[in-house]
Amino acid sequence: EVQLVQSGAEVKKPGESLKISCKGSGYSFINYWIGWVRQMPGKGLEWMGIIYPADSDTRYNPSFQGQVTISADKSISTAYLQWSALRASDTAIYYCARQTTVETPPKYWGQGTLVTVSS
Amino acid sequence: EIVLTQSPGTLSLSPGERATLSCRASQSVTSNYFAWYQQKPGQAPRLLIYGASSRATGIPDRFSASGSGTDFTLTISRLEPEDFAVYYCQQYGSSPQTFGQGTKVEIK
């Protein structure tokens, strides 16, 4: 069974750094893209970017380029989303999702990680 | 980027009724790389439709979709209680992938 299990909820202060994770199981992790999607409170879905764990080929939505870093450690089947300096506006639920190729829709999703940034 | 505009924002219907949701793209969607998702409160989105009209594995046949170019439609033939949720359209043929703002299907 394909599963994407994300790390737990985080509460951080503005300016702090953060790295959240998404561990894949039940399939060959390196052969599928992992994307990240943001959902701000009460709002819709925003595609942030995507990574191919086999070679770390990474593509960003220009709206998120420079704001976050997407990475992966194929040795432990885990993808990451990180911030160097959080802002209150980063408060959201972040989902990881598996895509067969860059041009296929995400079918398998993680459970989401709630990130709250507040002073 | 391609902007997707969904209508209506909210659809108030009764169980058993037919729901028709629309999504319009600001430019033509590449190769009908178009999807629909359902999201319930506290849950991750669930893929319903891909390729504009193909149902994902395990999706009941009361869900159907059509469209091409810039205009797409999701139809739920007879609403079941579990279908009341928010529905999002998505295009994944042009980078960045983009989503519509959502249509809430609520119980009337």
Side-chain angles (χ1 to χ4, degrees):
Chain A
E1 177 193 8
V2 174
Q3 283 195 311
L4 296 172
V5 178
Q6 298 185 229
S7 49
E10 302 274 2
V11 179
K12 292 288 190 178
K13 290 182 166 47
E16 292 187 331
S17 62
L18 176 64
K19 192 174 189 177
I20 62 175
S21 66
C22 169
K23 183 174 177 61
S25 63
Y27 72 99
S28 176
F29 183 76
I30 63 171
N31 292 136
Y32 291 83
W33 294 76
I34 293 287
W36 289 93
V37 175
R38 182 175 79 175
Q39 188 166 39
M40 298 177 75
K43 301 298 184 182
L45 305 169
E46 300 171 274
W47 185 83
M48 302 174 70
I50 197 167
I51 188 166
Y52 190 62
D55 60 6
S56 292
D57 182 6
T58 307
R59 323 276 176 91
Y60 289 95
N61 180 332
S63 296
F64 292 92
Q65 180 95 43
Q67 309 305 308
V68 296
T69 301
I70 294 171
S71 61
D73 185 341
K74 58 187 178 183
S75 69
I76 55 172
S77 301
T78 300
Y80 301 97
L81 179 66
Q82 69 180 90
W83 296 259
S84 58
L86 287 160
R87 308 172 185 177
S89 58
D90 293 317
T91 295
I93 297 173
Y94 294 87
Y95 293 100
C96 64
R98 192 190 89 166
Q99 296 183 215
T100 303
T101 71
V102 175
E103 293 176 341
T104 54
K107 179 178 179 181
Y108 295 97
W109 293 67
Q111 83 276 21
T113 295
L114 174 61
V115 174
T116 303
V117 184
S118 174
S119 55
Chain B
E1 71 177 45
I2 296 178
V3 176
L4 301 179
T5 302
Q6 293 187 239
S7 61
T10 302
L11 204 47
S12 298
L13 295 167
S14 301
E17 290 194 293
R18 182 184 188 90
T20 302
L21 289 67
S22 297
C23 184
R24 174 163 288 177
S26 61
Q27 55 189 280
S28 187
V29 174
T30 303
S31 302
N32 281 350
Y33 286 164
F34 196 86
W36 290 92
Y37 295 85
Q38 176 193 70
Q39 188 179 33
K40 297 179 180 179
Q43 296 185 15
R46 174 193 183 196
L47 178 66
L48 299 175
I49 301 288
Y50 65 94
S53 61
S54 297
R55 276 188 300 277
T57 305
I59 301 304
D61 60 9
R62 64 179 180 273
F63 291 92
S64 63
S66 63
S68 63
T70 60
D71 290 292
F72 298 86
T73 300
L74 174 71
T75 301
I76 310 171
S77 59
R78 288 177 56 85
L79 283 164
E80 297 287 341
E82 62 267 28
D83 299 336
F84 291 91
V86 179
Y87 292 82
Y88 294 96
C89 58
Q90 183 207 25
Q91 68 80 22
Y92 50 91
S94 299
S95 188
Q97 299 181 14
T98 50
F99 293 89
Q101 82 280 16
T103 290
K104 182 179 182 179
V105 179
E106 65 176 22
I107 300 176
K108 186 173 182 180

